[in-house]
Amino acid sequence: MPPHRPDPAPVLRLHSASLRYGERVLWSHLDLEVAPGEFLAVLGSNGTGKTSLLRALLGQVPLSAGTAELLGRPVRRGDRRIGYVPQQKLMEQGTPLRARDLVALGLDGHRYGLPFSSAATRRRVDEVLVSVGAEHLADAPVATLSGGEQQRIRIGQAVAGRARVLLCDEPLLSLDLGSQRALSELIDTTRRDLGTAVVFVTHDVNPILPMVDRVLYLAHGRFRVGTPDEVLRSEVLTDLYGTPVDVIRRGDRLAVLGAPDGRGAHGHDPHHPEEVGA
């Protein structure tokens, strides 16, 4: 019998965490542990606090109650062990920043003054560009790249410092299906190669569904945590929303129908099923 190996210590831990703005409670008493290499999808309707959760983990907003820890220590702003991939937003034409410059900011962008491009930094940037399949874009101005190419570079920037956690805020938004698939696979490969935990906020879980280990679903100040099969079920979401919600499976894809506002679980016309959203 092989020796027992204890479960690895969590990279992220939230204990009895709550976040509110005035009288409005986004979520409360959230207990969550994220293991190294785990892929956690964060779902829920608009305004449920998904992006606010990422901001709390980045140390940008304080919790109203409870604690958030990274590797056993309280989260803090500017922690280089956390990588961040924002929503896709095209850079303005004329921006002189090259792809390699953007990746380098993931290594030395936290320093004051002009970044110092050492030989070690240049080697690491080249390694990262190869790992994200963008070595041919190294010297291209970022503003000239497509949305998918820019997001590929941003993923490189986020992991350049060998981040232990990768926080992704709807990085597939506004991308075509091909780019969504390619970037999802890139993030999955990166977390497997580096053992990086991924917390992935999304409106559509389908592009990443095969990669997801667990789901955190936020709704009306409440939440559910579990595997996709445990959480993305009609009875679970009905209980969470307090109103009838149907989860429809079509092959390897999911759709959610029914919502408190009467327009579908995520603000869509219930006569036109949409993919599971957040």
Side-chain angles (χ1 to χ4, degrees):
M1 179 179 295
H4 172 70
R5 292 185 175 87
D7 293 335
V11 180
L12 280 176
R13 178 185 282 120
L14 290 167
H15 176 65
S16 197
S18 301
L19 188 63
R20 66 168 64 226
Y21 292 106
E23 296 299 315
R24 183 175 172 228
V25 178
L26 294 181
W27 31 265
S28 62
H29 303 292
L30 173 59
D31 290 319
L32 178 69
E33 293 184 350
V34 183
E38 183 176 9
F39 199 122
L40 176 75
V42 182
L43 309 176
S45 302
N46 287 332
T48 55
K50 302 183 302 297
T51 293
S52 294
L53 172 64
L54 298 190
R55 293 183 65 200
L57 294 175
L58 288 166
Q60 295 177 350
V61 296
L63 293 173
S64 304
T67 59
E69 296 179 348
L70 171 68
L71 298 171
R73 297 183 178 181
V75 297
R76 67 180 191 273
R77 193 182 186 104
D79 194 322
R80 307 305 294 177
R81 296 172 299 175
I82 298 181
Y84 174 64
V85 183
Q87 295 182 17
Q88 188 267 339
K89 184 178 180 180
L90 295 177
M91 288 193 177
E92 294 184 5
Q93 291 296 323
T95 303
L97 201 66
R98 298 172 302 170
R100 66 167 60 254
D101 300 327
L102 188 58
V103 172
L105 288 175
L107 292 168
D108 54 24
H110 61 294
R111 298 175 182 169
Y112 291 104
L114 294 175
F116 176 70
S117 183
S118 66
T121 295
R122 291 193 295 273
R123 284 195 300 270
R124 177 59 182 157
V125 168
D126 289 340
E127 290 173 358
V128 170
L129 287 168
V130 170
S131 72
V132 299
E135 64 272 23
H136 61 295
L137 304 173
D139 296 308
V142 178
T144 67
L145 304 180
S146 69
E149 289 171 335
Q150 289 191 21
Q151 285 300 76
R152 189 174 290 269
I153 300 302
R154 288 190 178 98
I155 293 171
Q157 179 191 15
V159 303
R162 296 181 172 87
R164 300 295 300 276
V165 179
L166 190 61
L167 305 181
C168 303
D169 189 7
E170 301 199 48
L172 308 182
L173 203 63
S174 302
L175 298 181
D176 60 69
L177 291 177
S179 294
Q180 288 184 0
R181 184 178 301 108
L183 289 173
S184 298
E185 291 173 351
L186 173 58
I187 291 172
D188 189 48
T189 299
T190 298
R191 64 112 177 189
R192 291 180 183 278
D193 289 347
L194 301 180
T196 303
V198 174
V199 180
F200 196 108
V201 168
T202 181
H203 267 75
D204 181 4
V205 74
N206 284 298
I208 61 171
L209 189 57
M211 308 159 190
V212 173
D213 297 308
R214 285 191 301 159
V215 168
L216 167 62
Y217 206 110
L218 304 173
H220 293 178
R222 304 171 64 202
F223 62 89
R224 291 289 186 277
V225 182
T227 67
D229 286 340
E230 290 171 340
V231 175
L232 302 178
R233 299 167 54 186
S234 298
E235 60 270 29
V236 173
L237 296 190
T238 292
D239 177 69
L240 196 58
Y241 278 104
T243 192
V245 175
D246 292 322
V247 177
I248 300 173
R249 293 181 179 269
R250 295 179 175 177
D252 59 353
R253 300 182 72 80
L254 297 173
V256 171
L257 298 176
D261 61 7
R263 294 183 300 158
H266 309 289
H268 302 302
D269 183 345
H271 299 293
H272 295 84
E274 299 286 346
E275 264 75 74
V276 172

